[in-house]
Amino acid sequence: MGITPDAPLPLVSAGRELSPEAQAAALWFRHLARGLKTARLYRTENPTVRGIRDQIADTLTEQLERCGAWKLRFTSSEIRFDDEVLVRPGARKPGGEAPIVAPEEQMPFLFYRDGVRGMTLQPGISRREIDALFEALRLAGSSAMTQDDLVTLLWQANLTHVQIEAVPLEQTIFLSSRRGRAKADPGFRGQTYAWSPSGSEIHADLGQVVGAQGLHRDTFDDWPLPEVHAQTPQAYRALLPVMEALRAGTLAAWEDERAIEWTEQAPLVLRQLLAFDAADDTRQSVSHAAMSWVASAIQRSAWEEASQALELLCEFDPDRSRSGTDLAAVLKRLNSEEIAEQLDEVEPEVQARFASLMVALGPPAVDLACAVLSTCTRARARAAASTALMYLCSENPRLLVPQLASPHWYVVRNVVFVLGQIGGSAVLDMLRSAAQHPESRVRRQVVMALGSVSRAERTPVLMSMLTTEDPQLLAATLNMLTRDPNPRVVRAILDRIAAPRFDDLSEENQRALFAALAEMADDSLVPDLEKLLRRGGWLSRPSRVHIGAARTLRRIGSERAIAVLEAGLRARNEQVRVACLDALSRKTSA
């Protein structure tokens, strides 16, 4: 990059006639200005911006190869190509409106403002250098508050086919060295901030004024300048031994740092942050960080690490007032299938850590524990999730209510199982609701869960399930009802047997109903059983009602019951006689 002071430019032609080379350069600057304007409006990866940059680069490469090097000069308002003006301000008629400024008319000032006075573009320029020039112009022209000027940006790009002529490095450039004519002393020299400068005000006095640095009255000439300069290769060789030692020390420190897990340092860092600033915002931030750590460790099935992070969260947010809502939301978004897959393959001790962690998390972990319970395939893993849910919801079983509305029957079944483990009056309403589920496997689980509810509370729910035709469900319901004989239950079973559609039931269901009736019947049912025994006429079809009633009378074994059976031996209905003979023979053989 050459550095030359400003020199008077030669007079140029004022006509519109330009040489072919100058016309190509003027057209290229016009496209460049419009491309820069578009690039400042849209992102760099925008297809339109990429197309414009490709066109600008291709055109410049082609023109330089055809015409040779471009030697350009810049003033505050013009760009010159040798003796020809490529860009100049638009003409303005006296008293007329200000003309519309074309994008290329702003480019001379962009170069001149940052100290560029000349630029040579040589053939063989690479695409990288063209892109670097384009990007530097885009950044320098986007805002007046940019950190680097155009010269600095181009220097950092290390260009080889773009040569820049700039003002001396020691020269400070000011927009104006005099106040406006309407202000105070017209001879006062200094910078102007309160009004925008015109083209004639943008200038600088080149050279060093005695006692001043350019136009600046505060000198820094007392800064010592080096009298000698170092040769880079020799300096590098001299520093190499020291550099090797420092490099070895740095690598050793890096290895030591790598050997320490970040999980060991994170609690200390978070505590120090809170010690430096104990404000609510800081506590909220460290609580959120600990909460995120908990969720991340759970997703990775790192249960010990999750417990460590949870202890830290409890330290920063004991009542969960800052992190409770976010923790519940984050736990819902975890991939429960991956967690369940990990739990299926680990030892029981690890599964126990999972259950302990879920309990420590509290109500926010209910949904996650339910999802894991429904996804696990191993009994031990499901037992760990069930245990966690039982402890989580023991004081408030209604936390499981949303899970009862799941469209997946197995989820509802698992929840019913947990409710059965909790037991008590608090789960009765939820079990009553689950008893209406269309899936029989859910209803069978309800029957088992009702075993942990008092007899008086569970009996109405069980009696409502006597109308089922599912053999397994009916057997489970009858088994639960016969644990505690109840006249209401006996009457309900007897009514089911006496119903007209009893003969339509499967033989398995008929046997189950009569077996339960025989288990609870007493002498008071003899008249009702006698009616069942003699039901039907001579031409009635064979029915298990006769055999079941006779065997139940035989099971009662009272004098009244035996008398009914003996009288049945003399009945006109053959079905009755056969049933009574079968019952009495069983009694005799006994």
Side-chain angles (χ1 to χ4, degrees):
M1 178 182 299
I3 300 178
T4 61
D6 283 345
L9 297 177
L11 297 177
V12 298
S13 59
R16 297 184 178 180
E17 294 78 9
L18 295 175
S19 64
E21 295 80 3
Q23 291 180 8
L27 182 61
W28 183 80
F29 270 103
R30 188 176 307 159
H31 290 166
L32 175 62
R34 283 160 174 74
L36 291 171
K37 183 177 181 180
T38 303
R40 296 184 188 113
L41 295 176
Y42 302 99
R43 294 181 180 272
T44 305
E45 62 271 13
N46 186 282
T48 301
V49 176
R50 290 201 298 266
I52 292 175
R53 296 182 70 152
D54 293 341
Q55 182 181 3
I56 292 173
D58 295 341
T59 302
L60 179 60
T61 303
E62 179 183 353
Q63 292 299 328
L64 291 178
E65 292 296 333
R66 185 169 60 88
C67 304
W70 287 0
K71 295 183 179 181
L72 307 171
R73 299 287 292 173
F74 302 97
T75 68
S76 61
S77 60
E78 294 179 346
I79 300 178
R80 301 186 180 188
F81 184 86
D82 292 335
D83 295 337
E84 300 176 276
V85 179
L86 303 180
V87 179
R88 67 173 59 187
R92 178 175 180 178
K93 296 182 180 180
E97 297 182 355
I100 299 176
V101 179
E104 62 271 17
E105 296 179 15
Q106 301 176 1
M107 294 195 66
F109 180 73
L110 177 60
F111 286 94
Y112 191 83
R113 178 196 66 188
D114 288 351
V116 179
R117 299 296 180 263
M119 181 171 65
T120 302
L121 302 177
Q122 298 179 347
I125 186 172
S126 65
R127 176 60 187 268
R128 182 194 69 82
E129 293 185 294
I130 298 175
D131 288 340
L133 176 61
F134 185 93
E135 189 65 18
L137 291 171
R138 185 186 71 83
L139 293 175
S142 59
S143 172
M145 301 303 292
T146 53
Q147 182 178 3
D148 293 323
D149 55 48
L150 183 59
V151 175
T152 303
L153 294 172
L154 293 176
W155 175 75
Q156 291 174 343
N158 193 24
L159 306 178
T160 58
H161 289 74
V162 179
Q163 296 180 353
I164 305 297
E165 297 180 12
V167 297
L169 294 176
E170 67 274 10
Q171 174 60 46
T172 304
I173 304 173
F174 299 93
L175 295 181
S176 177
S177 60
R178 297 181 180 273
R179 290 187 179 273
R181 295 181 179 179
K183 303 289 183 178
D185 181 10
F188 178 80
R189 296 168 62 86
Q191 299 186 46
T192 303
Y193 298 100
W195 55 86
S196 300
S198 63
S200 61
E201 292 176 322
I202 304 174
H203 64 277
D205 295 335
L206 298 179
Q208 178 78 14
V209 180
V210 178
Q213 182 73 19
L215 299 178
H216 203 287
R217 292 299 180 180
D218 295 330
T219 178
F220 44 88
D221 286 342
D222 54 341
W223 291 7
L225 297 178
E227 297 181 357
V228 296
H229 63 277
Q231 295 294 330
T232 302
Q234 291 84 348
Y236 179 81
R237 285 194 293 269
L239 293 174
L240 190 58
V242 180
M243 291 170 55
E244 289 296 331
L246 293 175
R247 178 176 176 272
T250 303
L251 291 176
W254 180 61
E255 290 293 340
D256 293 340
E257 183 178 346
R258 287 185 59 192
I260 302 176
E261 293 291 338
W262 69 268
T263 55
E264 300 178 11
Q265 298 177 339
L268 177 61
V269 172
L270 293 177
R271 291 189 182 102
Q272 287 178 345
L273 288 175
L274 195 58
F276 291 150
D277 183 8
D280 289 340
D281 290 345
T282 306
R283 187 170 293 275
Q284 177 72 30
S285 299
V286 296
S287 299
H288 182 79
M291 180 269 296
S292 301
W293 185 9
V294 171
S296 174
I298 292 176
Q299 186 62 76
R300 292 182 280 106
S301 298
W303 307 118
E304 293 185 359
E305 180 183 331
S307 299
Q308 177 187 1
L310 182 58
E311 292 179 0
L312 197 64
L313 177 60
C314 294
E315 176 184 339
F316 296 148
D317 188 15
D319 57 355
R320 305 283 176 84
S321 60
R322 295 178 174 84
S323 60
T325 304
D326 292 340
L327 179 61
V330 170
L331 293 180
K332 286 183 179 179
R333 293 196 297 267
L334 296 181
N335 191 331
S336 59
E337 295 183 359
E338 293 184 0
I339 297 174
E341 184 178 355
Q342 293 287 336
L343 285 176
D344 280 335
E345 303 299 330
V346 296
E347 299 297 326
E349 293 78 7
V350 180
Q351 296 167 349
R353 294 194 195 102
F354 161 77
S356 176
L357 178 65
M358 294 296 104
V359 175
L361 285 170
V366 170
D367 291 337
L368 177 60
C370 287
V372 171
L373 174 60
S374 302
T375 310
C376 286
T377 58
R378 302 291 179 87
R380 288 186 179 274
R382 292 200 301 270
S386 300
T387 303
L389 284 170
M390 183 181 65
Y391 281 101
L392 283 170
C393 304
S394 58
E395 296 183 0
N396 185 14
R398 297 198 64 81
L399 291 172
L400 295 170
V401 168
Q403 302 296 332
L404 292 176
S406 173
H408 305 294
W409 67 267
Y410 52 87
V411 175
V412 182
R413 181 197 61 186
N414 294 334
V415 172
V416 170
F417 173 80
V418 174
L419 292 175
Q421 298 298 311
I422 296 174
S425 302
V427 304
L428 181 61
D429 290 339
M430 289 180 282
L431 292 178
R432 184 183 294 112
S433 174
Q436 309 300 320
H437 200 278
E439 176 58 49
S440 60
R441 284 171 286 190
V442 174
R443 298 199 299 273
R444 288 199 295 267
Q445 190 64 54
V446 170
V447 174
M448 298 177 62
L450 286 170
S452 61
V453 181
S454 65
R455 185 188 69 177
E457 293 175 325
R458 75 186 180 214
T459 298
V461 181
L462 291 170
M463 290 176 60
S464 67
M465 304 174 72
L466 286 175
T467 58
T468 181
E469 295 183 3
D470 178 28
Q472 295 182 5
L473 178 59
L474 181 61
T477 303
L478 292 172
N479 181 58
M480 187 68 66
L481 287 172
T482 55
R483 291 184 180 181
D484 301 302
N486 187 325
R488 292 175 55 197
V489 175
V490 175
R491 178 55 57 182
I493 296 175
L494 187 62
D495 291 342
R496 180 73 192 279
I497 295 175
R501 296 189 57 187
F502 179 77
D503 291 333
D504 297 334
L505 296 178
S506 65
E507 181 179 350
E508 187 176 359
N509 285 346
Q510 292 178 357
R511 289 178 180 274
L513 287 168
F514 269 112
L517 183 63
E519 186 74 23
M520 296 184 292
D522 55 18
D523 196 56
S524 63
L525 291 183
V526 172
D528 297 301
L529 292 172
E530 184 177 5
K531 291 180 182 179
L532 291 176
L533 179 63
R534 296 182 178 276
R535 188 171 71 177
W538 294 351
L539 301 178
S540 61
R541 63 180 181 175
S543 172
R544 291 199 57 84
V545 174
H546 302 99
I547 297 177
R551 290 181 179 179
T552 303
L553 288 169
R554 169 252 179 211
R555 178 68 180 269
I556 294 174
S558 64
E559 294 182 1
R560 293 175 61 188
I562 299 301
V564 171
L565 291 175
E566 291 176 348
L569 293 174
R570 300 185 294 273
R572 294 183 179 182
N573 190 332
E574 182 181 2
Q575 300 295 329
V576 176
R577 295 196 304 270
V578 171
C580 291
L581 181 60
D582 174 76
L584 289 173
S585 64
R586 287 174 177 270
K587 182 177 182 293
T588 302
S589 63

